[in-house]
């Protein structure tokens, strides 16, 4: 089995796992850590990044399938750029869960509560499978350096949404309960002024490293 066919199969697997996990979190009661039933689950970057990963994996699988069938000469550049973007998003999700949410939210509810039920797939399985697929079976030189910045666009959009939710749900200068769900403003806006730029920098570094490791030698 050649590398392209393996990438095709793995992308289909990622898509199926994403559909499974997203459906699970949206139809669950929403009583777990960082969970929410129905459309409420869309407030989490975890869910949004995994939805994008699923869509981009399906796009790539269709593109790769056409090449395997001889209907296209090679996988398109946009497929690779989308896969970089999606992989960056779920990798960030996994790292934030392990290194930030684990020591904060996990300290109260238990570290492994962040990987319970649907979050086992959203926070761990899907990100790891996405990284392995992108780095091992989709190596290419088609992704330009500038696209390492393109890959952080989803986080920028989400950051605007998150800050807006906080600023529009304040009473007497205090954030209403449930609207700083990641705890970025736990110690006031000064903390957020550090965390949000740091997240953007970390996201770009993830993008750069994945891009670098993905390139053909």
């Amino acid at each position: 089995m050649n590398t392209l066919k393996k990438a095709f199969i793995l992308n289909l697997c990622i898509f199926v796992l994403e559909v499974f996990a997203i459906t699970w979190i949206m139809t669950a009661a929403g009583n777990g850590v960082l969970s929410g039933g129905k459309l409420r689950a869309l407030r989490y970057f975890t869910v949004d990044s995994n939805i994008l990963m699923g869509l981009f994996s399906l796009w790539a699988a269709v593109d790769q399938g056409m090449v395997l069938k001889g209907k296209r000469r090679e996988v398109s550049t946009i497929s690779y750029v989308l896969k970089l973007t999606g992989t960056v998003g779920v990798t960030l999700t996994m790292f934030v869960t392990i290194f930030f949410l684990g020591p904060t939210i996990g300290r109260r509810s238990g570290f492994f509560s962040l990987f319970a039920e649907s979050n086992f797939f959203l926070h761990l399985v899907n990100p790891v499978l996405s990284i392995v697929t992108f780095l091992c079976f989709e190596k290419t030189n088609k992704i330009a350096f500038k696209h390492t910045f393109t890959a952080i666009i989803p986080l920028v959009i989400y950051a605007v949404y998150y800050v807006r939710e906080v600023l529009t749900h304040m009473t007497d200068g205090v954030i209403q309960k449930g609207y700083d769900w990641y705890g970025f403003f736990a110690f006031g806006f000064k903390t957020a002024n550090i965390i949000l730029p740091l997240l953007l920098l970390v996201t770009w570094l993830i993008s750069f490293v994945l891009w670098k490791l993905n390139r053909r030698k």
Side-chain angles (χ1 to χ4, degrees):
M1 186 184 299
N2 61 35
T3 301
L4 182 61
K5 190 169 184 179
K6 291 177 181 177
F8 168 75
I9 293 172
L10 286 170
N11 276 314
L12 287 180
C13 289
I14 292 171
F15 173 71
V16 170
L17 286 174
E18 294 292 13
V19 171
F20 169 70
I22 297 299
T23 301
W24 187 353
I25 195 171
M26 285 189 169
T27 56
N31 296 321
V33 178
L34 296 179
S35 63
K38 300 180 180 179
L39 295 180
R40 185 177 174 80
L42 293 175
R43 61 167 21 190
Y44 300 116
F45 184 75
T46 290
V47 175
D48 300 336
S49 63
N50 274 272
I51 289 175
L52 287 180
M53 189 71 243
L55 293 175
F56 295 162
S57 294
L58 179 60
W59 179 302
V62 171
D63 204 351
Q64 292 161 352
M66 293 182 71
V67 174
L68 289 170
K69 290 181 179 180
K71 295 183 178 180
R72 184 173 294 173
R73 292 183 60 185
E74 57 186 16
V75 177
S76 65
T77 300
I78 190 171
S79 287
Y80 289 118
V81 174
L82 290 178
K83 281 304 301 291
L84 171 63
T85 302
T87 306
V88 168
V90 293
T91 301
L92 177 66
T93 287
M94 182 174 66
F95 284 176
V96 168
T97 301
I98 294 172
F99 298 110
F100 178 77
L101 299 180
T104 55
I105 294 176
R107 184 172 55 185
R108 300 191 300 269
S109 59
F111 180 83
F112 290 104
S113 66
L114 295 166
F115 298 94
E117 300 181 353
S118 58
N119 280 327
F120 175 66
F121 294 93
L122 298 173
H123 286 161
L124 184 62
V125 175
N126 295 352
V128 169
L129 185 59
S130 298
I131 293 170
V132 170
T133 300
F134 184 68
L135 295 184
C136 298
F137 303 102
E138 295 178 318
K139 285 188 173 296
T140 181
N141 290 326
K142 285 189 172 185
I143 305 175
F145 172 74
K146 64 182 179 181
H147 293 130
T148 61
F149 296 96
T150 302
I152 71 173
I153 291 176
L155 178 66
V156 172
I157 295 173
Y158 183 81
V160 172
Y161 158 73
Y162 192 93
V163 172
R164 178 184 176 280
E165 283 293 286
V166 169
L167 295 179
T168 56
H169 292 89
M170 298 185 69
T171 303
D172 298 326
V174 178
I175 303 169
Q176 297 174 20
K177 185 178 180 180
Y179 285 95
D180 181 23
W181 49 87
Y182 284 131
F184 291 152
F185 293 83
F187 299 101
F189 287 95
K190 289 184 179 180
T191 305
N193 289 335
I194 296 173
I195 291 179
L196 293 178
L198 181 61
L199 273 177
L200 289 173
L201 175 60
V202 169
T203 304
W204 179 77
L205 288 174
I206 291 171
S207 180
F208 176 78
V209 171
L210 288 175
W211 168 75
K212 198 71 174 176
L213 294 176
N214 172 262
R215 293 180 66 78
R216 290 182 181 277
K217 295 182 180 179

